[in-house]
Amino acid sequence: MRQRLRDPVTGLLFVLPMLVLFLIFKIFPTLGAAGMSLTNWNIGGEWSFVGADNYARLLDDVTFWTSLRVTLVYAAVYVPLTVVVALGTALLLNQVVFLRGLFRGMLFLPYVTSFVLAGIIWRWIYEYSGLINGLLAKADLGPVPFLEQSALVLPALAVVSVWKGFGYSMLILLAGLKSIPGTYLEAATVDGASPWQRFRRITLPLLKPTLFFVLVIETIGAFQTFDTIYVMTGGGPARATYTLIYGIYDHGFRSFDFGYAATWGMVLFAIVLVVSLVQRRLLDRGNT
């Protein structure tokens, strides 16, 4: 019995520190937010149980439905663009032999840059007197209000987030590409398969588990985007960038209505969970 229990207990001891941190900083706060969403908790620590009143209020809140639409549109732009850019750069790096580490470091560098610093730099790039509009002016195309026009501001912010965050997914996908046996691709090449056929029939199917992980983390990141919006637009113009996470900040740290802010957070948690499960179902039919 001791022999059979030794390996599981040893493994548990190795993961116990991270498990404790996960419980403290993930599980317990989530349970606390779920309980807080059933109260009218305020900044003074005073609260009373209100049951489902916050959720009923949420359903009648026009601001919530606006923020939900904005969040979904942003995710629909950001996630596919990030995956395509990360996968494309990973495929290129997988073919590079000379100075591979240098190129990998250069492409990963934006990921370790501060979101606030990146937001300030890109806000200058998008301004009327900034880099992009300066180049457009030389081509007589006129200034473009990237951050002032509701139809352009979300794609503009998505580009910033892609530039800032694709490096992490690129490394994950690159590791997935390295795990694919080279003999499969060599055999397909000998059989006359084109590069596109090798990618579609061999690389992409074997990359599905890694691709699923990247889709999940990028979707979660899209729903949690805050820093870039806070620095560059502040939820505007006309709440065109007022996402769910920005609404949580607005209600919690501006209005100090923590109970209602927690309600927004629980709805966001449920949405991310459902989207992740749907992605898993569609991507690999439960075989990941």
Side-chain angles (χ1 to χ4, degrees):
M1 180 64 70
R2 288 197 300 268
Q3 182 70 23
R4 289 198 297 267
L5 290 177
R6 186 176 61 183
D7 291 341
V9 171
T10 302
L12 180 61
L13 290 176
F14 275 109
V15 301
L16 187 60
M18 184 56 66
L19 181 61
V20 172
L21 292 176
F22 186 79
L23 289 173
I24 293 174
F25 293 104
K26 295 292 185 180
I27 301 300
F28 292 158
T30 302
L31 296 176
M36 188 179 291
S37 68
L38 303 176
T39 68
N40 59 354
W41 199 299
N42 57 40
I43 190 174
E46 301 174 355
W47 63 275
S48 61
F49 184 77
V50 297
D53 289 353
N54 284 331
Y55 291 93
R57 174 185 170 188
L58 189 75
L59 294 177
D60 295 330
D61 192 345
V62 177
T63 304
F64 167 75
W65 295 109
T66 300
S67 66
L68 178 59
R69 177 184 58 81
V70 170
T71 303
L72 293 176
V73 171
Y74 176 82
V77 176
Y78 167 78
V79 175
L81 187 59
T82 301
V83 173
V84 169
V85 173
L87 181 58
T89 51
L91 289 170
L92 290 175
L93 283 177
N94 196 40
Q95 302 298 323
V96 173
V97 177
F98 183 68
L99 296 178
R100 178 185 299 171
L102 176 63
F103 291 122
R104 187 185 306 171
M106 291 174 59
L107 292 172
F108 187 75
L109 185 61
Y111 181 77
V112 298
T113 305
S114 167
F115 261 113
V116 175
L117 179 60
I120 294 174
I121 293 173
W122 278 90
R123 186 172 61 184
W124 168 77
I125 292 175
Y126 282 139
E127 286 178 350
Y128 285 106
S129 58
L131 178 62
I132 295 179
N133 279 315
L135 296 175
L136 293 176
K138 291 182 179 180
D140 295 328
L141 297 177
V144 177
F146 291 103
L147 301 181
E148 287 77 24
Q149 189 170 338
S150 299
L152 297 177
V153 65
L154 278 180
L157 292 180
V159 169
V160 177
S161 297
V162 170
W163 172 85
K164 173 70 176 65
F166 83 94
Y168 178 77
S169 296
M170 175 197 70
L171 290 183
I172 297 298
L173 291 170
L174 183 60
L177 291 172
K178 294 296 184 183
S179 67
I180 298 176
T183 54
Y184 294 169
L185 298 174
E186 293 173 2
T189 303
V190 172
D191 290 339
S194 65
W196 169 249
Q197 290 174 328
R198 294 196 299 270
F199 172 76
R200 182 183 176 186
R201 300 295 184 181
I202 299 176
T203 303
L204 195 57
L206 295 177
L207 201 61
K208 273 188 176 182
T210 308
L211 196 59
F212 166 71
F213 175 75
V214 169
L215 282 172
V216 170
I217 62 172
E218 292 299 347
T219 301
I220 295 174
F223 279 92
Q224 294 180 340
T225 298
F226 173 77
D227 308 71
T228 306
I229 294 174
Y230 180 79
V231 173
M232 298 184 67
T233 63
R239 294 193 171 179
T241 58
Y242 195 89
T243 58
L244 287 173
I245 198 72
Y246 197 88
I248 295 173
Y249 161 77
D250 198 16
H251 288 289
F253 296 97
R254 286 185 174 177
S255 302
F256 303 112
D257 190 355
F258 294 115
Y260 191 51
T263 305
W264 280 56
M266 294 312 299
V267 172
L268 177 60
F269 172 78
I271 291 173
V272 171
L273 178 61
V274 170
V275 171
S276 300
L277 293 176
V278 170
Q279 284 179 332
R280 179 185 178 91
R281 179 83 174 181
L282 295 177
L283 187 62
D284 62 357
R285 303 299 180 183
N287 292 323
T288 298

